[in-house]
Amino acid sequence: KALEKELNLQNILIETYVDNPSDLEPNYTEYWGKIQSIVSGVGVVQDGLRIQTIAKLDPSLITSQPGLAEKNFLASLPSNTWFLISGYNLNQTWNNLVLQSKNIPEVEEIVTGIRQSFGTISLDVDRDVFGWMDQEYAIALVNNNQSTLSLGIGGLVLVKTSDRQTASDTLAKLSQIASQYLINV
């Protein structure tokens, strides 16, 4: 089954297939059983490596489809960006994780830990952190010779939201906390 989905990679260095991952770890059949197959690979491209993974999921896991990202969203990142994680609707991803945590104790521990961590700085993770992240987001690392820790690395978070007020309040609070640790935001 895993071989039914081909990777879109050239010059493949590594390619792996796993059919029915629940066979590998029977103790987690409830979780792994929802993943029907996985194919993953690493290929060489002109300017580096390209990694691709395709997982065939049980359709019941897919509770919503992500929206389409705007083409110019990532174009606003600086040209010296060297690491990037981006996506759409982190709030929905969080809500899906919370939903899965009701059936998977290990995921419940992660969700509880995240909630408790943000609770220590008086933030409700469901509302103040993920609640307003309903559109595109990007987390990037860039070369920066003026970084606080003199590492030559700077961080950048780019978020588009429909709830600007909650976003502003949360970011103001995080900025205040960061300044207590001499981190420039």
Side-chain angles (χ1 to χ4, degrees):
K1 293 179 187 176
L3 297 174
E4 293 173 5
K5 205 65 164 158
E6 289 189 26
L7 297 174
N8 185 18
L9 291 173
Q10 297 177 354
N11 305 317
I12 295 176
L13 290 174
I14 301 169
E15 192 167 7
T16 62
Y17 302 96
V18 179
D19 188 33
N20 197 8
S22 62
D23 290 345
L24 299 175
E25 185 55 65
N27 295 333
Y28 294 99
T29 300
E30 183 177 342
Y31 175 70
W32 286 110
K34 304 226 183 232
I35 301 173
Q36 297 169 351
S37 62
I38 302 169
V39 58
S40 186
V42 178
V44 178
V45 293
Q46 184 175 355
D47 52 352
L49 298 175
R50 181 166 181 228
I51 302 169
Q52 183 180 17
T53 300
I54 300 170
K56 185 175 180 184
L57 303 175
D58 178 333
S60 69
L61 278 180
I62 303 169
T63 58
S64 67
Q65 294 292 326
L68 296 174
E70 291 182 20
K71 293 183 183 202
N72 61 355
F73 182 74
L74 295 179
S76 60
L77 292 170
S79 62
N80 64 347
T81 300
W82 57 270
F83 178 81
L84 172 69
I85 297 173
S86 67
Y88 190 89
N89 202 346
L90 199 52
N91 182 41
Q92 184 62 49
T93 302
W94 172 253
N95 289 335
N96 288 341
L97 187 67
V98 169
L99 186 63
Q100 292 296 319
S101 75
K102 293 176 182 174
N103 299 320
I104 305 169
E106 294 82 2
V107 175
E108 183 180 21
E109 285 180 34
I110 293 168
V111 168
T112 300
I114 292 170
R115 284 181 170 148
Q116 289 174 345
S117 295
F118 279 98
T120 63
I121 56 173
S122 301
L123 287 175
D124 177 331
V125 75
D126 299 283
R127 185 191 69 231
D128 300 328
V129 179
F130 295 117
W132 54 271
M133 295 186 184
D134 59 352
Q135 295 182 28
E136 295 171 273
Y137 67 91
I139 301 166
L141 294 178
V142 297
N143 293 329
N144 181 353
N145 293 329
Q146 300 169 352
S147 66
T148 304
L149 301 175
S150 301
L151 298 174
I153 300 170
L156 162 52
V157 176
L158 188 61
V159 180
K160 187 173 182 181
T161 181
S162 64
D163 185 359
R164 185 178 179 109
Q165 185 61 53
T166 304
S168 294
D169 293 346
T170 299
L171 294 174
K173 185 167 195 160
L174 290 172
S175 180
Q176 179 184 15
I177 292 167
S179 69
Q180 294 172 357
Y181 295 95
L182 303 175
I183 299 173
N184 294 328
V185 179

